[in-house]
Amino acid sequence: MNLLVRFPLPRVLPRVIISRRNRITISRAKSIESSLLMDQPKKVIVCGGGVIGVCTAYFLAVKGAAVKLIEMSDVACAASGKAGGFLAYDWCDGGPLEELARVSFNLHRSLSEELDGPRSYGYRTLTTLSLTIKQSEGSSASRFLPSWIDGPARSPKTIGTPETTAQVHPQLFTRTLIDRAVEKYGVKVEIAKLERVEVEEGRVGSVVVEGGRVLEADAVVLAMGPWSSKLALLSSVFRVYGLKAHSIVLDPRDGSSITPHALFLRYYCSERGGALDPEIYPRPTGKVFVCGMSKEEEVPDDPAEIRGNPESIAMLKRVAKTVSSHLGEGEAVVKAEQACFLPCTDDGMPVIGEVPGVKGCYVATGHNCWGILNAPATGAALAELLLHGHSTIFYLKRFSPSRFLLPTNP
């Protein structure tokens, strides 16, 4: 996305002393020097190497900022590497995320064209179906379903078309984007644990990483997902909690038979009365991602410490086998059993904007299950806000962290 910015010409041009050598007045020389200083790239530190932080770093660098990204472990090591990567254009319509989601879906398409998404990170459009599965019922083929869905599926309904739903491999997307940001736009990546943000007289001036090293900055972006709750600077304003989501990755023996149909299930297990809502995402490689079984848990300090709950992983395997014989034991190899934490807020909306009372300190977190979808628009809008004072691509103010502050009494 190329933006053309026009600046108004000054009404009165400064006086120039004309001589044989066309000398410029001292006042004009000082003006030029001041202008050159103002044109120096703004130094921004982005804390967090997930998809939100990487998208923010990318769009900041595209706009000319000098960006350093700090990540304590590895880029896309948590939810951004273990999510489904599902994208939906209009599923948030009618709510506060409508504009954000639509803009971001289109940005994903643009980025895919720029970065060769189909080859680089598995970008492709999808047909998306909803199904009811009752484990106690017998299998029955349906002419309305792809042949690989041969379990007891009922009430198939198309809820997304190739015009409105798509997917990426989230880890590959995030790492492809940071690679481009490093190679083309000079972003620096440093593996370091953030200790604290230094604030003086209401303005951020630097961050301190583990070991006491100080990194100076003109602005800081905190894009730390559920780990945002570990910073008192943020937890004093709003709450971010972690929703632990489980997933498995299967490699079917006959991956070529798995068509690009994402499945949203209403799954009734024979051992329990209530329904589960697992999701299944075939990928272009032939592998199949199955996720669900989410609940709120304490977020550990280190992403490497996250382990899936065995009973949740076992249930996902059962779901996969029930939906399709191609995904059962003996027909598919389990390539990954994993879990991650989705960052959630009390009002269900992401937090994007400048931290109240701290100039130059920005936050982007709380995207819940829509982090991969909404990351590009979040990063692009935050880059505009940081560098130009406002966002033009969607109405950003409704996501400001200041919404959590109680109104003062007159």
Side-chain angles (χ1 to χ4, degrees):
M1 180 176 65
N2 295 319
L3 297 178
L4 177 62
V5 181
R6 293 185 173 88
F7 296 95
L9 292 173
R11 294 181 181 179
V12 180
L13 294 175
R15 292 182 58 194
V16 178
I17 299 176
I18 304 296
S19 72
R20 294 178 181 177
R21 302 195 177 196
N22 289 333
R23 291 176 295 146
I24 300 177
T25 61
I26 293 176
S27 60
R28 176 70 183 275
K30 289 182 177 179
S31 175
I32 292 175
E33 181 182 2
S34 176
S35 176
L36 289 173
L37 288 174
M38 292 178 64
D39 288 341
Q40 293 298 312
K42 179 170 283 193
K43 292 166 55 179
V44 184
I45 292 177
V46 176
C47 303
V51 68
I52 302 295
V54 165
C55 283
T56 303
Y58 175 82
F59 284 105
L60 279 166
V62 167
K63 289 179 171 295
V67 182
K68 174 173 282 190
L69 184 140
I70 297 173
E71 163 58 41
M72 70 172 291
S73 182
D74 195 9
V75 170
C77 65
S80 298
K82 299 173 182 176
F86 180 72
L87 313 176
Y89 176 67
D90 55 4
W91 285 26
C92 297
D93 282 7
L97 301 183
E98 177 176 339
E99 188 182 18
L100 169 60
R102 284 175 169 252
V103 169
S104 211
F105 186 88
N106 289 332
L107 271 176
H108 267 291
R109 184 185 295 115
S110 300
L111 286 170
S112 176
E113 294 171 356
E114 177 184 345
L115 302 172
D116 191 9
R119 184 188 63 83
S120 300
Y121 51 83
Y123 176 89
R124 69 174 177 181
T125 58
L126 291 168
T127 296
T128 304
L129 306 174
S130 68
L131 301 172
T132 297
I133 303 287
K134 292 187 177 180
Q135 185 179 313
S136 59
E137 296 183 353
S139 300
S140 60
S142 170
R143 63 187 180 90
F144 299 105
L145 293 172
S147 60
W148 64 275
I149 305 173
D150 53 12
R154 300 287 186 273
S155 307
K157 181 181 178 182
T158 299
I159 56 175
T161 68
E163 287 70 41
T164 61
T165 53
Q167 70 179 149
V168 298
H169 187 298
Q171 185 182 73
L172 294 179
F173 168 70
T174 305
R175 292 183 174 177
T176 298
L177 199 62
I178 195 61
D179 286 347
R180 174 59 64 92
V182 169
E183 294 166 6
K184 187 173 181 179
Y185 300 107
V187 171
K188 308 295 183 184
V189 177
E190 182 172 333
I191 302 302
K193 182 180 179 181
L194 175 69
E195 290 288 347
R196 64 183 183 275
V197 179
E198 294 288 346
V199 179
E200 295 182 8
E201 298 181 354
R203 173 173 287 278
V204 69
S206 61
V207 301
V208 179
V209 298
E210 194 171 36
R213 193 156 51 90
V214 178
L215 304 176
E216 295 184 353
D218 300 314
V220 172
V221 177
L222 302 171
M224 302 170 65
W227 285 272
S228 302
S229 62
K230 307 290 185 182
L231 290 177
L233 179 68
L234 300 182
S235 62
S236 63
V237 180
F238 58 90
R239 185 173 84 104
V240 179
Y241 63 93
L243 190 66
K244 189 176 184 180
H246 293 77
S247 60
I248 58 175
V249 180
L250 303 173
D251 189 3
R253 179 184 300 173
D254 184 16
S256 61
S257 66
I258 310 297
T259 57
H261 289 80
L263 307 181
F264 282 70
L265 307 178
R266 193 71 173 161
Y267 186 90
Y268 292 89
C269 179
S270 57
E271 286 90 13
R272 55 172 76 185
L276 304 175
D277 298 299
E279 302 162 14
I280 298 179
Y281 304 115
R283 287 174 169 166
T285 58
K287 294 183 176 63
V288 178
F289 178 93
V290 185
C291 65
M293 308 302 295
S294 305
K295 68 175 182 177
E296 184 176 345
E297 285 189 19
E298 182 67 25
V299 179
D301 290 335
D302 188 344
E305 298 174 3
I306 301 173
R307 297 288 185 273
N309 302 333
E311 62 275 14
S312 297
I313 296 297
M315 177 56 72
L316 291 177
K317 292 179 181 177
R318 185 185 302 180
V319 168
K321 180 176 66 173
T322 303
V323 170
S324 173
S325 61
H326 295 267
L327 305 180
E329 187 177 354
E331 293 297 320
V333 176
V334 180
K335 305 298 289 187
E337 301 175 357
Q338 57 197 14
C340 62
F341 281 87
L342 307 178
C344 306
T345 61
D346 289 332
D347 63 4
M349 289 168 49
V351 187
I352 312 166
E354 192 169 31
V355 177
V358 186
K359 298 296 293 182
C361 186
Y362 300 81
V363 61
T365 187
H367 290 73
N368 203 315
C369 61
W370 292 117
I372 305 298
L373 167 64
N374 289 328
T378 296
L382 197 53
E384 285 190 328
L385 177 67
L386 194 155
L387 297 175
H388 306 305
H390 65 281
S391 166
T392 62
I393 65 171
F394 69 90
Y395 184 65
L396 188 56
K397 191 173 181 180
R398 64 164 54 95
F399 303 112
S400 170
S402 63
R403 72 182 188 268
F404 293 101
L405 299 180
L406 293 174
T408 56
N409 295 322

